Amino acid sequence: MAVAADTSVTDSPPGRPPRRSSARSRETRAALLFISPWLIGFAVFTAYPVIYTGYLSLTDYDVINDPSFVGMENFRALLEDPKVALALQNTFIFAVLSVPTQLIVSFFLAVLLNRAGRASGFFRTAFFLPKMTPPVAIGILLLLLFNGQNGLINEALGWFGIDGPDWTTDPVWVKPGLVMMSLWTIGASVVILLAALRNVPQELYDAARVDGAGWWRQTTHVTIPMISGALFFILIVDTIAAFQSFTEAYTAFFGSGNTTYSNDAALFYAIYLFQQAFEFLHMGYASAMAWILFAIVLVVTLIQVRVTKRFVYYEGEQR
Amino acid sequence: MTALDTARPGISPTAAASEVEAQGRGGGGGPSRRKVGRVLTWLALTALAVLFIYPFVWLLSASFKPRGEVFDNRLLPKTFTFENYIAVWQEAPMALWLFNTLLVTVLATVAVTISSSMVAWGFAYFRFRGRKYLFGVVLATMMLPQAVTMIPVFLIWESVGMTGTLTPLWAGNLFGSAFYIFLLRQFFLGLPRELFDAAKIDGASNWQIFTRIALPLCKPALVVTAIFEFQAAWTDLMRPLIYLRDSDTFTVPRGLKSLVDQFGFGGEWHWEILITASVISTIPMIILFFVGQRYFVQGIATTGTKG
């Protein structure tokens, strides 16, 4: 590195202050060396694929034969594909049901944990542990716990005299079952919210109490505004994840030789995309689907940022 | 149920509670009211904790039950048997799957930790034109759905003849990963710059500053990166599904999915096999959690509050 720097000094054109420019270029060169893995990876595994997916979306491509250009044909077919419409509908319903439920339940759990004092560590572990389960195992667990005839959930419902539905086979109940299962893995959100809650200054509650605010008003006027940054973060991350949810539903309802029952109700967009790409080898069509997904995620995220911006409060607004 | 116990760390909960008790709206109830609130909190937490842990207990218990009793929902097996564990080993190359998964996971973890820390250091320490803009690009890639790059990335590995091998499952990690770059950079920025300037004056090279000073100071963040990636690589299904064909190359999640296809959809449901294989795939993650619990919690809390 020192050798390289020396040559750059002699190479610098006359008339420019050599020392400063060489120090700068030396720093730039060192920085580029350090970030070069990412630069290469970005070019090869992100930038090029994004562009190439765009190109493929305009072609018919089955991996074996060369891509043939078909213009907007894939996008036209997409609009008319009832399975795309179904997959989009399923995905939206799942996102709309699961994201707010996860947010509310994890907030509730974090508030409880925050009141638990010293034992909060033990309970936090209990809530976080399910997050460690491989999603494939969660898919299997879903089939077991929500089994219509003898699953644990329906047995528990039976104690209260409720005749539980066929969660895994009745199209109406498949998505509620998936949403309930997704609540099992909200541990990370709970940990984030708990950390945020612990950063809320006690003085604010004291002041609110002096002003006569009860528990509800303290929650809505102190707690939620003060942790709105964390809530917003979870909202965005969970929404993006919900639109891409794949593994649990794919494990439980798809795969080779599932003729046992209809799985239309669990056909998420990511699952249909995967099938088109790697099971039917419709790479062009799947690429078009990928671009649509990207556009949807982008628009939904931008709307969320716009709408929630007014409500999010960052203390000090650092950096 | 006032927010009496929302004590901050550093203030002992009881002290904080009694301090505000005087001004509390239910002052008349005094300590007994507070006690009731606390008992209710504990009851609720205990019930919820049971709810969250029970599926594990159910699964573990069912894995020791004979086929006919799997769904009896008993806490302890009526007939205790190791049969299922033997059956899984006979029906599937479980040892091979475990080995494959461990190999991929270790390589993925080591690769991503080294590369991401290098890149993060590049963004944190050096000042160069376009730094902010480039780092913005790093962050933006986190938003990109995997589906958008999935197909061309597959074609790249196909063109170099690597599909069907374990390489595509980890080699991409040699180039860093946006989330960890963000996490580690955040940590590097928190270190005092004078430390590195002093080393520089003493004649240390950039590489020495990075490896001898920055990295050792950044150990907690490196551990967070490593355990996060360990979990991600161990549990991933999508990539093994795309790249692996041969049962001998499967990772545990991919193998587990093939067992679902074989013993579930493929015939009459052999739940006991699926249950036992699920237990085997989950146990290493539970161990990982208890080994690195502190780092998991810190790492996740940091992403949420600094994001």
Side-chain angles (χ1 to χ4, degrees):
Chain A
M1 200 136 292
V3 180
D6 284 349
T7 49
S8 85
V9 171
T10 45
D11 284 351
S12 64
R16 258 167 77 188
R19 197 180 259 161
R20 251 195 93 198
S21 86
S22 84
R24 280 216 106 179
S25 71
R26 193 167 25 167
E27 188 160 356
T28 304
R29 207 170 318 147
L32 285 178
L33 266 173
F34 273 97
I35 65 174
S36 59
W38 178 78
L39 286 173
I40 297 165
F42 176 74
V44 178
F45 291 112
T46 305
Y48 161 75
V50 168
I51 296 163
Y52 198 64
T53 302
Y55 163 70
L56 280 181
S57 72
L58 305 174
T59 68
D60 211 358
Y61 185 43
D62 61 2
V63 187
I64 299 137
N65 302 299
D66 283 342
S68 65
F69 193 79
V70 294
M72 298 302 282
E73 195 45 52
N74 285 327
F75 290 94
R76 205 169 305 138
L78 239 152
L79 286 176
E80 284 162 13
D81 186 344
K83 283 212 150 189
V84 168
L86 176 74
L88 273 178
Q89 191 192 341
N90 286 339
T91 309
F92 268 100
I93 292 175
F94 177 73
V96 167
L97 288 178
S98 71
V99 175
T101 325
Q102 286 174 9
L103 201 59
I104 291 165
V105 174
S106 49
F107 174 73
F108 175 70
L109 291 181
V111 168
L112 275 180
L113 276 179
N114 198 28
R115 298 159 136 263
R118 244 166 245 161
S120 70
F122 168 76
F123 291 115
R124 189 180 56 193
T125 301
F127 297 151
F128 188 82
L129 215 48
K131 180 87 188 141
M132 300 305 292
T133 319
V136 185
I138 295 176
I140 293 170
L141 212 46
L142 172 88
L143 291 176
L144 292 161
L145 298 177
F146 287 85
N147 187 296
Q149 277 108 54
N150 32 24
L152 190 62
I153 302 279
N154 277 359
E155 187 177 311
L157 287 174
W159 300 336
F160 302 100
I162 302 168
D163 191 16
D166 282 329
W167 301 93
T168 54
T169 50
D170 185 345
V172 179
W173 289 102
V174 163
K175 275 184 285 289
L178 281 163
V179 171
M180 284 172 69
M181 200 69 224
S182 77
L183 288 178
W184 195 48
T185 49
I186 54 174
S189 305
V190 176
V191 168
I192 290 172
L193 290 177
L194 181 62
L197 283 174
R198 290 197 166 149
N199 281 331
V200 182
Q202 180 64 32
E203 300 88 74
L204 292 181
Y205 290 107
D206 298 343
R209 210 169 292 122
V210 169
D211 290 346
W215 178 81
W216 177 249
R217 296 209 69 180
Q218 286 176 28
T219 304
T220 53
H221 285 74
V222 179
T223 312
I224 292 179
M226 287 307 285
I227 65 166
S228 53
L231 288 168
F232 174 67
F233 173 81
I234 293 169
L235 175 73
I236 299 282
V237 171
D238 278 4
T239 307
I240 294 176
F243 274 100
Q244 301 183 65
S245 50
F246 173 84
T247 306
E248 292 88 344
Y250 185 82
T251 305
F253 300 105
F254 296 86
S256 54
N258 175 14
T259 48
T260 330
Y261 42 79
S262 162
N263 49 23
D264 280 354
L267 184 74
F268 288 145
Y269 195 83
I271 294 177
Y272 190 49
L273 200 163
F274 175 85
Q275 289 181 325
Q276 283 293 343
F278 298 104
E279 286 175 18
F280 313 144
L281 294 180
H282 296 160
M283 295 287 181
Y285 194 70
S287 297
M289 284 187 71
W291 268 95
I292 300 285
L293 176 68
F294 186 26
I296 291 172
V297 168
L298 206 63
V299 169
V300 169
T301 309
L302 285 178
I303 291 173
Q304 285 179 334
V305 171
R306 263 286 164 78
V307 173
T308 49
K309 204 168 189 179
R310 294 183 286 156
F311 307 110
V312 177
Y313 167 78
Y314 290 106
E315 197 177 2
E317 297 276 349
Q318 285 179 323
R319 248 188 288 271
Chain B
M1 289 286 275
T2 47
L4 290 178
D5 334 295
T6 41
R8 294 211 294 154
I11 309 170
S12 100
T14 38
S18 55
E19 181 193 322
V20 290
E21 180 62 29
Q23 310 153 342
R25 53 183 182 132
S32 73
R33 193 195 161 92
R34 199 177 73 226
K35 231 173 222 167
V36 170
R38 175 146 289 189
V39 167
L40 283 176
T41 305
W42 275 61
L43 278 178
L45 279 169
T46 309
L48 286 160
V50 169
L51 212 61
F52 272 77
I53 294 302
Y54 201 76
F56 284 123
V57 179
W58 190 95
L59 200 68
L60 189 67
S61 164
S63 73
F64 292 110
K65 294 173 185 172
R67 183 163 186 219
E69 289 168 24
V70 159
F71 273 112
D72 68 1
N73 292 335
R74 278 166 190 274
L75 185 57
L76 293 173
K78 197 165 71 184
T79 339
F80 191 93
T81 172
F82 273 110
E83 211 54 41
N84 301 331
Y85 284 88
I86 299 163
V88 165
W89 241 264
Q90 285 167 344
E91 296 293 339
M94 192 52 91
L96 198 54
W97 291 351
L98 282 168
F99 173 77
N100 290 338
T101 317
L102 192 66
L103 186 71
V104 166
T105 303
V106 167
L107 288 170
T109 302
V110 171
V112 97
T113 308
I114 293 173
S115 59
S116 300
S117 62
M118 270 179 70
V119 176
W121 178 247
F123 277 114
Y125 179 67
F126 302 102
R127 297 184 184 122
F128 55 96
R129 201 178 296 174
R131 178 173 77 157
K132 265 200 175 141
Y133 172 76
L134 261 187
F135 192 68
V137 178
V138 175
L139 295 183
T141 59
M142 276 199 267
M143 295 259 308
L144 201 65
Q146 203 191 347
V148 182
T149 53
M150 182 169 84
I151 293 166
V153 169
F154 167 79
L155 296 172
I156 291 171
W157 290 116
E158 176 85 5
S159 70
V160 292
M162 290 288 197
T163 50
T165 73
L166 294 172
T167 314
L169 306 189
W170 65 270
N173 280 1
L174 287 169
F175 306 100
S177 170
F179 173 69
Y180 304 125
I181 293 171
F182 164 76
L183 197 82
L184 290 162
R185 173 182 168 270
Q186 208 69 28
F187 198 92
F188 283 135
L189 286 177
L191 300 174
R193 203 181 168 83
E194 298 78 44
L195 221 57
F196 311 118
D197 290 341
K200 188 151 214 175
I201 291 165
D202 288 345
S205 72
N206 282 320
W207 185 250
Q208 284 169 331
I209 294 174
F210 171 61
T211 53
R212 304 253 175 94
I213 304 171
L215 276 188
L217 286 172
C218 169
K219 228 185 241 160
L222 293 174
V223 177
V224 169
T225 303
I227 58 178
F228 276 20
E229 184 59 25
F230 199 96
Q231 187 198 9
W234 185 277
T235 59
D236 184 35
L237 175 70
M238 178 81 97
R239 271 186 294 184
L241 220 42
I242 292 174
Y243 291 103
L244 306 178
R245 311 267 147 73
D246 230 359
S247 170
D248 286 348
T249 59
F250 281 0
T251 59
V252 172
R254 180 67 189 88
L256 198 47
K257 176 59 184 147
S258 78
L259 290 180
V260 177
D261 295 341
Q262 187 187 342
F263 291 105
F265 304 131
E268 37 192 315
W269 290 84
H270 273 276
W271 288 111
E272 76 285 0
I273 301 270
L274 301 179
I275 289 166
T276 311
S278 296
V279 170
I280 295 172
S281 76
T282 307
I283 282 175
M285 292 297 97
I286 304 283
I287 295 171
L288 178 71
F289 175 75
F290 281 109
V291 169
Q293 178 164 19
R294 193 159 57 96
Y295 296 100
F296 266 110
V297 172
Q298 277 174 358
I300 289 167
T302 315
T303 35
T305 44
K306 288 187 180 159

